[in-house]
Amino acid sequence: MREAGFGDIRPGAANVFPFVPTDGITVSRLAELARVRKQSMAQAVDQLERTGYVERRPNPRDHRSRLVFLTQRGASVPPVTHAAAERVEERWAQLTSPPEFEALRVSLLRLLAELMDQ
C-alpha cells in the first residue's frame, strides 16, 4: 500500500474499504461486516475521514445516523488491494498444484461466506 501512495492507511483501517457500498453504510453495519467492535470501527472511520478516504453524510432514511461513503481517493484503494491479492494468488498457484490451489480457494471462499452469514 505504501508503494502505491497509501502509506497513511493504518492496518486496522484497511478493513473498511471492502464493505463500503456506493449508497453508503453505517459504522455499526461496517463493524458487523468486519467483525470488529463498533468503537474500533468508529476509530478506523475517523482516521480515514481525517486522511480523506471516506466522508460521512446524513442518512436520508434515519436522520439520527450518518452514512460512510468512499471519497474519490478512497475509491482508488480497492483496485490496488485487488491487484496485490492477485499477485499473492499467482504466487500461491506457483507453489501448489492446480487442484490444491482450487481446493484452497474453495475453502477460503466457503469460510468467508460462513463468517458473513454469522
Side-chain angles (χ1 to χ4, degrees):
M1 294 294 290
R2 185 172 309 282
E3 296 83 21
F6 302 119
D8 54 349
I9 298 175
R10 295 183 187 151
N15 63 355
V16 171
F17 296 96
F19 301 111
V20 181
T22 56
D23 57 343
I25 190 168
T26 64
V27 169
S28 296
R29 183 66 181 137
L30 273 173
E32 289 172 16
L33 292 171
R35 304 187 110 0
V36 299
R37 293 184 353 255
K38 184 178 172 184
Q39 179 181 2
S40 298
M41 183 55 71
Q43 290 172 347
V45 169
D46 287 345
Q47 187 262 325
L48 292 172
E49 189 172 33
R50 282 191 306 275
T51 52
Y53 293 99
V54 301
E55 63 183 2
R56 292 181 182 149
R57 298 182 208 153
N59 184 343
R61 294 177 297 280
D62 180 358
H63 298 290
R64 298 168 295 165
S65 71
R66 297 175 65 75
L67 297 176
V68 177
F69 293 85
L70 294 179
T71 62
Q72 185 175 0
R73 183 177 188 204
S76 64
V77 172
V80 172
T81 59
H82 293 164
E86 286 177 18
R87 288 190 302 276
V88 168
E89 284 189 13
E90 288 169 3
R91 180 65 179 137
W92 288 355
Q94 292 170 356
L95 298 172
T96 63
S97 69
E100 288 174 320
F101 181 73
E102 186 57 28
L104 174 62
R105 177 190 287 273
V106 168
S107 294
L108 290 173
L109 289 172
R110 188 182 91 269
L111 287 170
L112 181 61
E114 288 181 20
L115 287 171
M116 296 294 284
D117 288 341
Q118 291 182 358

